[in-house]
Amino acid sequence: MAGCEEWQECFQIYDPESEGSISSRECAEAARALGMNPSEWEVQDIIAQCSVNGRVTYAEFCNVMAQLDSGDVSKDGLIEAFKIFDRDGSGTLPGAELKYILANMGEVMTQDEIDEMMKQAGFKDDTPINYTDFTGRILAGVDIPAPSATGRKGKGITKGKDRRSMRFQTKDH
């Protein structure tokens, strides 16, 4: 099973007392630490299918991670999602509306993260944004500053592995 070693390390981090199970909330946090972007209902739905008591054992955790990991986001999938908000079918969204969507739907981003991502991708919030171009640039990788307890900017994250490292470091402290 792909990622099983990494999943085991993550499970152990969220099960420091070695009880053999973690809560559904911890399972969702672990998935995010592994670079996945599940919604709470998505995790709850998968856990309900494989767990008897709401606690997640390591075997169930691997099952949940496998199901979540298989749901990689495609460019076409993101474009279809943005089309829902495109009232006039022009292929664009007002920059301010796109920022609102990013701040309030899915994995919620902070205003600073959104501003930095828009800046790096070359988009402004006062102009219409072609969401096909936006999706392509974002999937190509944009560094988003990592939150820092010291207030200093982190090196940023692009995708999965960097994000997992950043999340594990903050969880250990």
Side-chain angles (χ1 to χ4, degrees), residues 83-150:
K83 278 184 183 178
I84 293 170
F85 300 99
D86 183 7
R87 290 182 211 94
D88 61 1
S90 65
T92 63
L93 292 173
E97 185 173 343
L98 181 59
K99 286 176 75 170
Y100 178 83
I101 292 166
L102 295 172
N104 295 291
M105 298 180 180
E107 183 175 337
V108 176
M109 299 174 70
T110 68
Q111 199 59 50
D112 289 340
E113 289 172 331
I114 295 168
D115 290 342
E116 183 65 23
M117 182 177 64
M118 298 280 281
K119 178 181 159 189
Q120 287 185 29
F123 294 105
K124 297 181 180 176
D125 61 351
D126 60 349
T127 60
I129 295 175
N130 180 307
Y131 50 81
T132 302
D133 291 343
F134 179 79
T135 301
R137 290 183 193 179
I138 298 308
L139 289 178
V142 172
D143 287 339
I144 300 172
S148 171
T150 61

Side-chain angles (χ1 to χ4, degrees), residues 35-105:
M36 298 174 203
N37 186 19
S39 65
E40 285 298 323
W41 67 264
E42 200 174 7
V43 174
Q44 295 297 333
D45 188 43
I46 295 170
I47 291 172
Q49 294 172 15
C50 68
S51 178
V52 178
N53 61 2
R55 302 266 318 155
V56 180
T57 65
Y58 177 67
E60 294 165 343
F61 179 75
C62 284
N63 185 15
V64 171
M65 293 305 111
Q67 288 185 52
L68 292 173
D69 202 22
S70 67
D72 285 340
V73 176
S74 70
K75 183 175 181 176
D76 292 338
L78 286 174
I79 291 170
E80 288 301 312
F82 284 128
K83 278 184 183 178
I84 293 170
F85 300 99
D86 183 7
R87 290 182 211 94
D88 61 1
S90 65
T92 63
L93 292 173
E97 185 173 343
L98 181 59
K99 286 176 75 170
Y100 178 83
I101 292 166
L102 295 172
N104 295 291
M105 298 180 180

Side-chain angles (χ1 to χ4, degrees), residues 146-149 163-173:
S148 171
R163 180 180 209 159
R164 288 188 293 270
S165 298
M166 187 266 310
R167 294 283 172 96
F168 282 149
Q169 289 169 2
T170 57
K171 183 67 181 170
D172 288 341
H173 290 89

